[in-house]
Amino acid sequence: MVQTRGQSDGGVETCGECGARYKVTIHRAPTRAKDEAHCHKCGHLLRAWNDTHWPSFVLIKDEPVAPTQDG
Ligand SMILES: [Zn+2]
């Protein structure tokens, strides 16, 4: 298992506007940071924070999995 220092899994955030899903990673910053993150697709505010912990959002591609044809 890979141990990553200074960051932890923040679960999944779903955009309340367009339903885009983001993988959230929580980072620890040395100083307090005030910022906010918006949906990459529609610009809806995902989360705002003013803390020494800040999240990063990576869009989860929710494409249907095509069945493999192995015949
Ligand atoms: Zn959105």
Side-chain angles (χ1 to χ4, degrees), residues 14-71:
T14 303
C15 175
E17 189 69 28
C18 74
R21 293 165 68 235
Y22 292 86
K23 172 100 169 58
V24 184
T25 303
I26 304 297
H27 303 264
R28 294 190 61 171
T31 57
R32 180 181 291 261
K34 185 176 188 297
D35 206 348
E36 56 191 40
H38 296 263
C39 177
H40 289 219
K41 287 189 171 180
C42 72
H44 182 73
L45 178 64
L46 291 173
R47 195 179 294 184
W49 61 92
N50 182 0
D51 206 343
T52 53
H53 293 69
W54 57 276
S56 66
F57 297 85
V58 177
L59 183 65
I60 299 172
K61 286 186 167 40
D62 206 3
E63 300 169 2
V65 178
T68 56
Q69 297 197 356
D70 51 351

